Amino acid sequence: ENKDYAKVSSIAHKIKPSINYICINQLFDDVTIIEKWENNETTMAQRTLQFISTIRIVLSQLSTL
């Protein structure tokens, strides 16, 4: 929303090991791409929102274990 791409990239970098730990390859691939943040602003914003939505689902499922 604030278009702070450097912060998004930094957060992606910080959570990447945790994503790798839960062994969901697609999420790891997504967070790696988000970390590198390509120039296509619209595509990357959509990818980031989709990642956030998916990770919320995963975290919800893990909390029920």
Side-chain angles (χ1 to χ4, degrees):
E1 194 172 281
N2 295 332
K3 298 185 179 187
D4 189 349
Y5 307 123
K7 187 172 185 175
V8 172
S9 179
S10 175
I11 292 169
H13 177 76
K14 288 178 184 177
I15 67 171
K16 197 163 72 167
S18 297
I19 299 299
N20 192 36
Y21 179 75
I22 60 175
C23 300
I24 301 176
N25 294 334
Q26 183 58 51
L27 286 178
F28 185 77
D29 294 344
D30 289 346
V31 80
T32 300
I33 291 168
I34 292 167
E35 177 188 24
K36 294 178 184 176
W37 196 276
E38 296 174 2
N39 292 330
N40 188 336
E41 185 176 308
T42 303
T43 301
M44 291 307 295
Q46 290 172 347
R47 182 183 290 264
T48 302
L49 290 174
Q50 179 61 44
F51 174 81
I52 292 168
S53 175
T54 303
I55 201 67
R56 283 183 175 153
I57 292 168
V58 169
L59 290 172
S60 174
Q61 291 173 347
L62 286 173
S63 70
T64 63
L65 294 177

